[in-house]
């Protein structure tokens, strides 16, 4: 008889600090080899997985052993205990009770007295499987409770720190600012507030040869996973820039627990709603001040996506799915040489086996006239007070853009003052011999570049303020806009924003097909 020996070091035991010498790979090998020799079994091979969970279905040596078992290269699988083979009850049933008998494989777990050649032993194996799975489930809950407690305390528990930070060598749960990467983060925020789009910022960083966050971590010796690292030069893209612009960690707030595994046996991560995140303020030094971060979020929230043509349609950002509340995206199809635009629920996909919602598809050229006509009906029914603008444009809204620009200018001036103070402190540290000349030159160049970007941003904001003031003087009053609309002129985006909070589109139903269109007015 030929046997395969399988050993696994218990990752679960290591998580609880219960790792013992008796559980070592070498001890398992010695015990099992001795038993195989006693039984006069020929050893085909020894398969070992180190630091692997008993619930992991992708253990490399475990998988290799199963392939060899299916190929008939041995007749016995020998383990120390059934839990070394698997703690997953589903795998017990699939292999030990299902496929192994078909492949002519006898399974033996030495210390459990498990042997599939003994009749009446099956119930004991199943009880063992249940006990092992319960243990794994309890362990998962215990580990999760410990990690959640650390999250609540504002301790960083990730494997790799957020780009712009590094782990404190004296406290691995505390973050310190990595000035080299932090300078790039500040440049990204400044450029975005200066009017540059995320792809334009990415292109600029690529031209300058700035390494991406994953490349930067690898250069620092951090073995971060990046599936495409070996196949591409590692370029910045709009997604990477957007993630940095959305990351509240840069304001000194520890944000963790944004995702959670679907279950202890699953590797799938589920995104959690923001109210379930762990947020602890003031746990580390901020790279971006709160005013700047909030200004970036307002601009990103107000941004309306195009279909790639660069043209934003009249109702962009206003149309939602009536069932899931998701934003309707614009798609363009060509029929008989004529392009037609459609709106479709953003959570619907023809390529997914189980889309999260249905299409709710509607042609844009049919929806727009309906909305325009409903606006005309509404405006025709408004009284004189509404035509004077008291309903359409409340007084509190008039100066909001100007106030926002003023706050952003103030925030940038504070940033400018901090940068100048930083350059002064850097010079004093060099004069006192606290830092060497090379470090001074490198950091001084970073601060100078940030200072230049900040100055450009201030100039841009002030120019926007002047332009806004000029537009306000020349813009038609709400009464004039309404009058223009009622005479048949096209609806403006300005009126859409003033009147409509959102438009919801229902799914088609009935015969002939009918589709609900509901306007949620602001007035």
């Amino acid at each position: 008889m030929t046997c395969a020996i399988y050993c696994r070091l218990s990752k679960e035991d290591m998580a609880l600090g219960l790792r013992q010498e008796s559980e070592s790979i070498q001890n398992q090998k010695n015990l099992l080899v001795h038993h195989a020799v006693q039984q006069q079994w020929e050893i085909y091979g020894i398969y070992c997985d180190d630091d692997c969970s008993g619930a992991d279905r992708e253990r490399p040596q475990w998988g290799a052993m199963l392939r060899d078992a299916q190929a008939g290269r041995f007749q016995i699988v020998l383990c120390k205990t059934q839990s070394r083979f698997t703690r997953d009850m589903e795998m017990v049933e699939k292999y030990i009770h299902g496929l192994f008998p078909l492949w002519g494989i006898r399974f033996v777990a030495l210390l459990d007295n498990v042997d599939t050649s003994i009749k009446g032993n099956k119930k004991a194996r199943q009880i063992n499987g249940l006990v092992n799975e319960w243990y794994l489930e309890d362990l998962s809950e215990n580990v999760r409770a410990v990690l959640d407690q650390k999250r609540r305390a504002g301790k960083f528990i990730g494997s790799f720190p957020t780009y712009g930070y590094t782990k404190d060598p004296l406290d691995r749960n505390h973050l310190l600012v990595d000035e080299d990467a932090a300078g790039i983060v500040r440049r990204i925020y400044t450029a975005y507030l200066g009017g540059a789009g995320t792809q334009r910022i990415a292109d600029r960083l690529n031209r300058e040869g700035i390494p991406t966050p994953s490349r930067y971590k690898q250069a620092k010796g951090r073995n971060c996973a990046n599936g495409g690292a070996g196949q591409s030069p590692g370029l910045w893209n709009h997604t990477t820039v957007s993630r940095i612009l959305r990351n509240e960690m840069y304001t000194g707030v520890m944000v963790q627990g944004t995702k959670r595994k679907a279950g202890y046996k699953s590797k799938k991560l589920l995104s959690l709603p923001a109210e379930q995140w762990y947020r602890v303020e003031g746990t580390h030094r901020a790279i971006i001040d709160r005013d700047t971060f909030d200004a970036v979020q307002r601009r990103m929230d107000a941004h309306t996506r195009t279909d790639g043509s660069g043209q934003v349609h009249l109702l962009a950002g206003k149309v939602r799915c009536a069932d899931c509340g998701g934003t309707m995206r614009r798609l363009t199809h060509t029929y008989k040489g004529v392009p037609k635009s459609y709106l479709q629920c953003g959570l619907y996909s023809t390529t997914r086996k189980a889309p999260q919602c249905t299409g709710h598809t509607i042609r844009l050229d049919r929806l727009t006239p309906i909305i325009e006509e409903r606006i005309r009906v509404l405006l025709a029914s408004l009284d004189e007070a509404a035509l004077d603008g008291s309903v359409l444009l409340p007084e509190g809204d008039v100066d909001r853009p100007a106030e926002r620009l003023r706050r952003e200018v103030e925030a940038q001036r504070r940033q400018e003052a901090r940068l100048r103070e930083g350059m002064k402190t850097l010079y004093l540290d060099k004069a006192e011999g606290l830092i060497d000349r090379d470090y001074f030159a490198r950091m001084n160049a970073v601060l100078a570049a940030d200072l230049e970007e900040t100055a450009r941003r201030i100039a841009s904001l002030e120019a926007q303020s002047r332009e806004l003031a000029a537009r306000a003087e020349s813009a038609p009053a709400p009464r004039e806009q309404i009058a223009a609309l009622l005479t048949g002129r096209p609806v403006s985006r300005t009126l859409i924003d003033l009147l409509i909070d959102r438009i919801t589109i229902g799914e088609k139903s009935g015969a002939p097909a009918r589709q609900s269109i509901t306007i949620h007015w602001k007035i």
Side-chain angles (χ1 to χ4, degrees), residues 74-142:
F74 46 80
Q75 294 81 47
I76 300 171
V77 170
L78 177 62
C79 299
K80 181 181 178 182
T81 62
Q82 183 175 305
S83 65
R84 296 301 96 187
F85 179 76
T86 183
R87 289 188 185 275
D88 189 334
M89 187 61 191
E90 184 181 341
M91 293 297 101
V92 170
E93 291 298 319
K94 178 177 180 179
Y95 289 104
I96 296 179
H97 298 152
L99 293 175
F100 279 6
L102 294 177
W103 296 344
I105 299 293
R106 171 185 173 189
F107 178 78
V108 177
L110 188 59
L111 300 189
D112 292 340
N113 295 317
V114 169
D115 189 340
T116 55
S117 68
I118 301 175
K119 292 184 178 180
N121 195 248
K122 183 176 181 180
K123 287 184 175 63
R125 295 193 298 271
Q126 290 174 326
I127 291 171
N128 267 346
L130 286 172
V131 170
N132 287 328
E133 182 150 333
W134 291 336
Y135 166 79
L136 195 64
E137 186 175 6
D138 289 343
L139 173 65
S140 175
E141 291 300 321
N142 290 336

Side-chain angles (χ1 to χ4, degrees), residues 428-461:
L428 291 175
D429 287 347
K430 174 180 173 295
E432 294 177 8
L434 299 177
I435 58 176
D436 59 32
R437 182 177 300 176
D438 290 342
Y439 183 80
F440 169 79
R442 187 168 67 254
M443 294 309 302
N444 191 60
V446 170
L447 291 174
D450 289 345
L451 191 61
E452 184 179 349
E453 284 282 352
T454 302
R456 281 200 293 268
R457 174 59 187 155
I458 291 173
S460 173
L461 289 171

Side-chain angles (χ1 to χ4, degrees), residues 252-264:
V253 177
M254 183 66 70
V255 182
Q256 298 183 107
T258 60
K259 296 179 183 293
R260 175 158 288 184
K261 283 187 177 181
Y264 68 94

Side-chain angles (χ1 to χ4, degrees), residues 190 193-194 405 408-417 451-466:
T190 302
L193 282 180
L405 287 170
E408 290 181 15
V409 168
E410 289 179 353
Q412 290 300 312
R413 292 204 180 279
R414 289 194 296 271
Q415 173 74 353
E416 184 180 42
L451 191 61
E452 184 179 349
E453 284 282 352
T454 302
R456 281 200 293 268
R457 174 59 187 155
I458 291 173
S460 173
L461 289 171
E462 290 177 339
Q464 290 179 49
S465 295
R466 291 191 294 271

Side-chain angles (χ1 to χ4, degrees), residues 383-389 392 476-486:
D383 57 21
E384 287 298 319
L387 293 177
D388 285 336
L392 292 182
R479 177 190 286 273
E480 295 172 1
Q481 294 182 30
I482 294 168
L485 177 64
L486 294 177

Side-chain angles (χ1 to χ4, degrees), residues 35-56:
H35 181 76
V37 170
Q38 280 187 325
Q39 298 297 316
Q40 297 183 347
W41 294 340
E42 179 184 351
I43 299 174
Y44 173 80
I46 300 177
Y47 303 81
C48 299
D49 283 310
D50 200 355
D51 290 356
C52 287
S53 168
D56 189 352

Side-chain angles (χ1 to χ4, degrees), residues 150-179:
K150 288 186 175 182
R151 292 186 182 105
R152 279 190 288 270
K155 295 184 177 182
F156 181 75
I157 61 171
S159 300
F160 304 103
T162 302
Y163 178 70
Y165 290 97
T166 187
K167 288 185 178 181
D168 187 340
L170 301 179
D171 181 0
R172 306 300 290 173
N173 298 124
H174 179 247
L175 298 180
L176 299 176
V177 174
D178 180 346
E179 288 297 343

